[in-house]
Each structure stands twice: as C-alpha cells, then as structure tokens.
Amino acid sequence: STDGRLLSHWRRDRVFHLYFYNGQREQAKTAHLTIDTHSHPWEEDPQEDPSSPGKRCPPLEMAIRTKWAGATVSWNGTDPFF
C-alpha cells in the first residue's frame, strides 16, 4: 500500500488499496486491489459459498485474511493469482 500508516493507525485499515506484483512473466502490470476489512456477510453474493470444495481462494487473499479475517478483496478486473 502507499499509505505508510496503514498498520499503525486503526482508522486507516477500513478500506485501502494494495498494489501487488508477483514477479511472473505472465503479469504485464501491477495488480491494483481494493481491500475492505469491515465487510458484512449480507454484502456477499448469496450464490457463492466460500466453504464449497470447488471454491478456490487465492493465496494472496488468504494472507490478507490472516490480519483481517472478514476482509473482502476486489481485484478490480485483474485475474486473481493462484
């Protein structure tokens, strides 16, 4: 993130942007993700069951959720990295 105070100031981590580059040749540009750490279950797609066996969660999202358990990650049109 471009906000250096993200982890030290509790109000900064509500919604923030993360720029990610995985170093693979297939990635042409940096991915711009929007992280919402205070999302609500009713905002999610009711058709999607995150615990279903066919549901894959990108490792980057799993890492983000080690800090913010209920966070939603918007990839803003970029295909998630697996």
Side-chain angles (χ1 to χ4, degrees):
S1 176
T2 56
D3 187 353
R5 295 176 289 180
L6 179 62
L7 296 176
S8 63
H9 193 277
W10 66 274
R11 286 189 178 182
R12 296 244 181 233
D13 73 353
R14 168 68 171 92
V15 175
F16 62 93
H17 301 280
L18 180 70
Y19 299 91
F20 183 75
Y21 183 74
N22 68 2
Q24 301 295 319
R25 281 190 292 179
E26 297 83 27
Q27 185 180 3
K29 64 179 186 170
T30 302
H32 171 208
L33 286 70
T34 303
I35 316 299
D36 183 352
T37 62
H38 297 278
S39 61
H40 304 287
W42 58 83
E43 294 173 342
E44 296 175 10
D45 184 359
Q47 303 299 320
E48 256 185 60
D49 180 10
S51 63
S52 68
K55 176 72 175 164
R56 292 177 57 195
C57 186
L60 179 59
E61 288 187 32
M62 291 170 38
I64 289 167
R65 290 188 184 111
T66 62
K67 169 75 174 152
W68 299 283
T72 57
V73 179
S74 172
W75 287 80
N76 299 317
T78 303
D79 289 332
F81 307 126
F82 286 97

